[in-house]
């Protein structure tokens, strides 16, 4: 899973399908979903997985209106195509992703 920053976010979601997790170290649901996202990252070749720490990179979260964590945003060639707020089990994440891949 690649790490994005305020400075690399726009370039990081520019090409292909990219799922970005907005996360923070103090967020228990974020820690719960991390292993699930890491597993999906290994299993799905059609999407790249990335994360951005909202405490260290507040500008991107603010500009995109991210209010809760974890927030998952799916980008295709730089365009936001889907968003999900809150931790979910793997089966629900796959069902949410499938229509967009």
């Amino acid at each position: 899973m690649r790490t994005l920053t305020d400075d690399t976010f726009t370039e990081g979601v520019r090409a292909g399908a990219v799922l970005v997790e907005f996360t923070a170290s103090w967020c228990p649901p974020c820690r719960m979903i991390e292993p699930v996202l890491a597993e999906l990252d290994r299993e799905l070749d059609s999407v790249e997985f990335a994360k951005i720490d909202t405490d260290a990179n507040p500008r991107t979260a603010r500009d995109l209106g991210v209010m809760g964590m974890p927030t998952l945003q799916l980008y295709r060639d730089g365009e936001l195509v889907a968003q999900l707020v809150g931790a979910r089990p793997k089966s629900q994440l796959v069902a949410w992703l499938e229509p967009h891949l």
Side-chain angles (χ1 to χ4, degrees):
M1 185 179 287
R2 193 163 42 109
T3 299
L4 300 175
T5 67
D6 283 339
D7 295 330
T8 64
F9 185 85
T10 301
E11 185 65 30
V13 299
R14 186 165 301 209
V18 182
L19 178 73
V20 179
E21 176 198 15
F22 289 81
T23 187
S25 61
W26 51 263
C27 169
C30 298
R31 288 192 300 272
M32 289 172 41
I33 202 171
E34 283 280 332
V36 175
L37 294 175
E39 188 175 329
L40 289 173
D41 188 19
R42 289 187 301 273
E43 293 175 2
L44 299 175
D45 293 331
S46 57
V47 63
E48 182 179 353
F49 287 76
K51 64 182 176 179
I52 184 166
D53 183 315
T54 59
D55 288 335
N57 302 280
R59 185 179 73 225
T60 300
R62 181 195 67 225
D63 291 351
L64 295 173
V66 172
M67 302 292 286
M69 284 177 275
T71 291
L72 303 177
Q73 291 187 342
L74 180 63
Y75 290 83
R76 178 162 298 286
D77 299 325
E79 297 295 322
L80 178 63
V81 295
Q83 178 172 289
L84 182 70
V85 179
R88 302 286 194 288
K90 181 179 176 183
S91 61
Q92 287 183 11
L93 290 176
V94 170
W96 173 71
L97 279 171
E98 281 182 341
H100 305 288
L101 300 180

